[in-house]
Structures are given as C-alpha cells and as structure tokens.
Amino acid sequence: MRSDHKCYLNADDRWEAEQRADAIWYEATYRAKQGHTAIAHTFDSVAAVYIAQILGEVKWGERRPNRGESEPDVIRC
C-alpha cells in the first residue's frame, strides 16, 4: 500500500490503513447487497428529484394543486 493511502485513510501505519480500507469495503459491499447506492448524493440533488416528483404528481392530479406551491418551498428552506 502506498503512503498516500495511509494519509487518505487517516492512518498512522500500513496495518491500520488496511483495517480501515477493509471496513470501508465491507460496508460498501453490505450496502450494495441491500440495494443501496455506494454514491453519496447531495441534499440539493435529492431534493430536486423529489420536487420534480411532487410537481409531476400535481400535474397528473395525484396531489392537490397547493402542494405544488407549498411543499417545494418547504423542501428548499
């Protein structure tokens, strides 16, 4: 393992860096098996998708029209 990996993993030695890397790998593997994404998403990107869903549901009559105005404002706050 290169020394920059130890720095990235905030470890003092190779053994500790390998332990931390293993823990990260096991957690990512578990998340993948549970159907979760391994990619972190910002709140803004998730909120934008949710707001688009709300506006679509208003358009299709699945939500009351006032929800298309009030809910996106609350989410953006």
Side-chain angles (χ1 to χ4, degrees), residues 20-40:
R20 291 183 184 190
D22 285 345
I24 291 168
W25 184 84
Y26 287 122
E27 181 179 350
T29 302
Y30 174 79
R31 289 180 55 76
K33 287 181 181 179
Q34 298 301 317
H36 298 288
T37 180
I39 300 170

Side-chain angles (χ1 to χ4, degrees), residues 3-75:
S3 62
D4 59 338
H5 287 93
K6 289 191 299 185
C7 180
Y8 172 74
L9 293 168
N10 196 23
D12 295 329
D13 60 19
R14 180 183 176 139
W15 182 85
E16 186 178 356
E18 288 177 355
Q19 295 299 309
R20 291 183 184 190
D22 285 345
I24 291 168
W25 184 84
Y26 287 122
E27 181 179 350
T29 302
Y30 174 79
R31 289 180 55 76
K33 287 181 181 179
Q34 298 301 317
H36 298 288
T37 180
I39 300 170
H41 300 281
T42 65
F43 176 81
D44 291 337
S45 68
V46 174
V49 171
Y50 185 59
I51 289 170
Q53 177 183 341
I54 291 170
L55 296 176
E57 290 172 356
V58 168
K59 181 179 177 181
W60 302 313
E62 296 174 358
R63 287 186 189 242
R64 294 189 311 252
N66 68 333
R67 295 293 189 187
E69 298 168 8
S70 63
E71 289 185 15
D73 290 338
V74 169
I75 294 167

